[in-house]
Amino acid sequence: MDILNKVKSYREEENRMKWEGTFAEYLEIVKERPEVAQTAHSRVYNMIKSAGVKERDGRKMYEFFGEEIFGLEEAIERLVEEYFHPAAKRLDVRKRILLLMGPVSGGKSTIVTMLKRGLEKYSRTDEGAVYAIKGCPMHEDPLHLIPQHLREDFFHEYGIRIEGNLSPLNTMRLEKDYGGRVEDVMVERIFLSEDKRVGIGTFSPSDPKSQDIADLTGSIDFSTIAEYGSESDPRAYRFDGELNKANRGMMEFQEMLKCDEKFLWHLLSLTQEGNFKAGRFALISADELIVAHTNESEYRSFISNKKNEALHSRIIVMPIPYNLRVSEEERIYEKMINQSDMAHVHIAPHALRVAAIFSVLTRLKESKKQGMDLLKKMRLYDGENVEGFNQLDVEELKKEFPTEGMEGIDPRYVINRISSAIIRKEVPSINALDVLRSLKEGLDQHPSISDEDKEKYMNYISVARREYDEIAKKEVQKAFVYSYEESAKSLMNNYLDNVEAYCNKNKLRDPLTGEEMNPDEKLMRSIEEQIGISENAKRSFREEILIRISAFARKGKRFDYNSHERLREAIQKKLFADLKDVVKITTSSKTPDESQLKKINEVIARLIDEYGYNSVSANELLRYVGSLLNR
């Protein structure tokens, strides 16, 4: 019954928000809250901004898209800052159709759906409230009632510019129903809804021979002509086309470039002048954002046709490429799985990561930069540190191929293959090897992949497998270390004591005997060699560590295990190296003795409790790592 109570509460809340009054009363609301008179573009921009904006690495992050769109921060920032923001300020950009262009399953439709759902919610808030002339099928802006010759005076009094003319139907109603008394015209608050066709429309092309322009602009209601006497009487016209119904909000033009030309020409007038032609009437004003989406090949074909030049100049193209960051690609798969009936299946840690590594590698282009390969590029893009490169190199790499991310494997293919792995294995758990195996098998069945690409993709699967091998070994080795963090911290503190004595040319005191002794060069080198610090570079590395400790101390911060990434990596590798033989013997023993069995059970428990495995995937991981260490 709880859900019914929520439905009732929602209905009561909507009734509470409803408002109806005269135009004179509406003007009082406008004076108090000018935002109710904002344009459709402004409403969309303010809706996005109201959800919150963060800055990260000098880039704006719009939280409106944060839970659905992953790894497309640059594309989203460009979309908001180069289209929605200037359009909201009434710059000429708003007189353009927004065309999202990108590969399949790249997020174009998701962005449009989010904007539509967002507008529905936003219109139910005080700052996003929308008012319209009551009974108008186009939900017309009440300010259109202000005569043209008084609009300059209205601007000086209210600070609001009025654009657009009163529609033919409301012009007639003003005279017949209200005797020309503008102040008495009834106004109501409306709530945008795609389902109810209020302020949100969707147009999808069908067979050009059968599709009627009335789908866009409405049509004559022949049953009422006898009553009203003429086809030019607005009461004999159904203002129910998508352009009519999307007024005050937005219209999604699906597969716009597949449309017949006669449909597209209506958009020329609407985008440039804010009106369109319908029936035997003067031009009808409409305030709406038109957003379309297409793929690159269709767009190239469209612009190559000279007949489309006029429309092309009224389009702003926003590229929406595939995500190129492994960690964000993982989030895409998690979202898609959580939205499916597969959410109950246990997916072992790193299974989605190896799929993400494969996907991102197929989308990257080989750099000409010295010492840069695809794997390093992938890591840099994901924010990881790569020796010899930094984040400035990332910007250079992105400029090298501006269209990078427009090709490659799409997320839907990966999810299809994960689904296949689950169905075929028929167990409530799949691991990284199951996913890689399924991806490999799926390439043979993929109709649009060339033999050349197939060979390249097979190689990427091998790269992803090698990456997983390293991850798996580290995971097991970490789990074998009892109180891993404590062991690591203890080793690091020992190293730092020796480094400090070495750099300051001091001696250390043995904590047990109290005697003085030289810094332990063997210990320091055993750690530094793990990350390739040469004999010649050891002094500068140690001095750098000491400088970092001093810098932390000056800021009142404590230098700890996570304060220096390369040192942390070296400590981890040293611990792992010391443990390797123990892990190898324990995991590969077919008949483990009592102490080995106890150790295995402890490791499995730790993998389950701390690393996110279940008993099946933990045992599979141990067996796999055992086989790796025995090779």
Side-chain angles (χ1 to χ4, degrees), residues 315-327:
I315 291 174
I316 281 194
V317 180
M318 285 289 165
I320 307 293
Y322 283 133
N323 156 62
L324 297 176
R325 287 163 55 195
V326 171
S327 54

Side-chain angles (χ1 to χ4, degrees), residues 215-260:
D215 296 345
L216 265 187
T217 60
S219 60
I220 296 166
D221 185 352
F222 289 102
S223 66
T224 61
I225 291 176
E227 182 183 349
Y228 297 119
S230 167
E231 289 183 19
S232 59
D233 190 309
R235 292 170 298 180
Y237 196 86
R238 285 196 292 257
F239 293 90
D240 61 356
E242 292 305 316
L243 292 180
N244 308 103
K245 292 299 183 181
N247 186 34
R248 312 299 301 286
M250 67 175 281
M251 189 185 85
E252 176 187 8
F253 217 119
Q254 295 178 344
E255 302 296 344
M256 185 181 89
L257 304 185
K258 289 179 180 171
C259 261
D260 190 82

Side-chain angles (χ1 to χ4, degrees), residues 45 48 53-62 65 69 72-86 111 318-320:
Y45 174 67
I48 294 169
V53 185
K54 288 181 180 174
E55 285 224 11
R56 191 172 76 195
D57 301 327
R59 176 152 282 120
K60 288 184 178 176
M61 315 283 284
Y62 292 91
F65 299 99
I69 302 292
L72 295 181
E73 291 83 6
E74 290 175 47
I76 293 294
E77 184 183 29
R78 188 177 167 205
L79 174 64
V80 176
E81 292 303 315
E82 293 185 22
Y83 183 79
F84 289 126
H85 193 179
I111 289 171
M318 285 289 165
I320 307 293

Side-chain angles (χ1 to χ4, degrees), residues 54 75 209 211 237 291 298 305 337 361 397 422 424 448 480 501 513 537 562 574-575 587 631:
K54 288 181 180 174
K209 293 175 184 174
Q211 188 146 34
Y237 196 86
V291 58
E298 277 179 4
N305 187 341
I337 288 167
L361 285 173
L397 289 168
I422 290 168
R424 187 174 60 250
S448 60
F480 261 85
T513 64
N562 294 307
K574 168 65 177 157
L575 278 173
T587 54
R631 283 177 191 172

